[in-house]
Amino acid sequence: MKRKSLRALVCALLASLALTTFAFADNGPKPQLIVRVKDAPQEPYYLDLLAEGNWDASEGNSRLKRSTVITNSDGSETTVPLNEDLLALLLDNIPAGWHACTAQGTFGAPIFSHLFSTGTDASGNALHRFGYVGVPSTYRIILVTQSGKVWISDTLERKVLQSSVTVHWADDTENTTVIVPSTVTGYLLQFLATLVPTLLIEGALLLLFQYSWKQNWKAFLLVNLLTQGLLAVASSSVTAHSGVSGWYLFFFLLPAELVILLVELYLYAGRGLLTGHSKGRAAAYAITANLASAVLGYYLAVPVWQFVVSIS
């Protein structure tokens, strides 16, 4: 019965991975930068990203219009006229060697964005979303108000695929600052959210295979910290810079899990690090545990990545 249960478990894990393969079959996540404005101006204002390069409409994707279209929560679209005075103030204050991504356009890939805030976060901070592949890696932020105030940030760098910055607005623009969150927290959370569930499920399977925890916990932790720990580190870096998509699954996660399987087969069965049962059972455990962790990683990849992005 126990062998039948283990075979059923392995089959279920394989079926789960196979049946959900197409869940990632899309174009994958795109670059995104969210600019939060704390204590936003109490008057109409426009905010835009500046990218390097003097603007030449003949070379780029021109977006300069008198109105913009926003998509409502129900999917319908609304045309919003632009404030020509604010638009002119923004364009007149673009530094030499830079261009406005929303107001003017981008070179090559487009960007989806608006000059005005389209919502607030839980703390009431105004949100400005810049998305798609035209979001620059090196950028500045410009903010202009109806009363004529102009603020331009220093040069900033987007180090991960999707991130955010917070502008702390002050009526005296010299006191306005911008905070770029550390990427260390995101990496650490991604690492823990990848490693800890894997240790729990593979530890539970160790007991299911009737291995003595007292006799094998050292070998279990040593092998998993070596293999799954390295995978968690690599996964944190890959997802931060590329997000989670079908490419992540087929070109990173599955090959990495295959390498880990071979290593654990060698250590558990070949080197006999798991004691108390035959090498065949050790090999069966290694295969089942790695299938389980691969399926778990598959299901956790998107929600974990989205959570990390939401707090970055």
Side-chain angles (χ1 to χ4, degrees), residues 23-30 161-162 190 194 235-250 252-253 297-309:
F24 285 104
D26 56 21
N27 293 325
K30 300 297 185 291
L161 184 72
Q162 296 190 348
Q190 187 85 41
T194 303
S235 177
S236 299
S237 178
V238 170
T239 54
H241 290 88
S242 303
V244 177
S245 65
W247 299 108
Y248 169 82
L249 174 67
F250 289 107
F252 172 74
L253 184 61
Y298 180 89
Y299 280 110
L300 287 180
V302 169
V304 167
W305 181 71
Q306 290 177 341
F307 170 72
V308 171
V309 167

Side-chain angles (χ1 to χ4, degrees), residues 9-10 21 57 77 96 111 125 134 146 177 187 197 213-214 218 222 230:
L9 176 61
V10 172
T21 296
E77 294 183 342
I111 185 173
N125 300 317
Q146 190 172 51
T177 58
Y187 282 118
W213 179 255
K214 184 177 181 180
K218 291 182 179 179
L222 176 64
L230 289 175

